[in-house]
Amino acid sequence: LDIFCSKTERTNERKKEKTDRQTMHVPENYGAVVLAIGAMQIPNYVAIVQVLRARKKYKIKYPNLYAPEGHENKKEFDCVQRAHQNILEVAPSVAMSTMLVGLMYPVTAACYCGIWSIGRVMYVFGYGTGVPAKKRVGGIVAHFGDIPLFVMMFVVGYKMSR
């Protein structure tokens, strides 16, 4: 306890605490990461608009998340809704990956996040046709963004732990 230590011992202990801490610096180009994460809202808002339009077109009332069983346009509406839900399921891990990878590779992380966002917009429009197979191209493009980020997290983690 501090009350049993001399003033010199307390001062030395505080100096040691300060030198034991690691300081983290945000890289110079980290603004690109922030912009890329902000741009992740674009596919989300595109999907929201698509769902709102589909609700009106197919007359799906709230609080139904999906079209009720037996609805004549169940498949079409549910495809639009699933496209939006899928973005909400995946976006947090892509954002976290982008932030972490961006600590060492800010421009690269931002580019991969941007590729993911473009792919997700394509995914929403493809899946929103009511033909699930049309989501593939957008899904593949999005994976050209999220898979490298996932792999690079391990690279960054390894480099930071050495």
Side-chain angles (χ1 to χ4, degrees), residues 104-144:
M104 282 194 170
Y105 306 104
V107 175
T108 303
C111 288
Y112 283 132
C113 184
I115 291 167
W116 179 86
S117 292
I118 291 167
R120 282 296 156 167
V121 169
M122 295 168 62
Y123 180 90
V124 166
F125 284 122
Y127 206 173
T129 63
V131 180
K134 291 188 177 182
K135 68 182 179 181
R136 286 192 187 122
V137 173
I140 290 168
V141 171
H143 288 318
F144 281 128

Side-chain angles (χ1 to χ4, degrees), residues 33-108:
V33 170
V34 175
L35 290 172
I37 292 171
M40 289 176 67
Q41 291 304 308
I42 294 169
N44 185 43
Y45 287 125
V46 167
I48 289 169
V49 169
Q50 294 297 96
V51 170
L52 291 173
R53 286 180 178 164
R55 279 192 182 281
K56 185 175 182 179
K57 179 179 179 179
Y58 301 124
K59 297 175 178 57
I60 307 296
K61 304 292 181 204
Y62 287 106
N64 293 324
L65 186 59
Y66 293 98
E69 288 300 323
H71 191 282
E72 65 179 312
N73 299 106
K74 180 171 178 48
K75 182 179 178 185
E76 292 85 354
F77 178 79
D78 287 359
C79 284
V80 175
Q81 181 68 339
R82 268 307 302 146
H84 183 228
Q85 290 297 307
N86 191 262
I87 288 172
L88 298 176
E89 293 163 2
V90 177
S93 62
V94 173
M96 182 60 71
S97 300
T98 303
M99 287 187 280
L100 295 174
V101 171
L103 292 173
M104 282 194 170
Y105 306 104
V107 175
T108 303

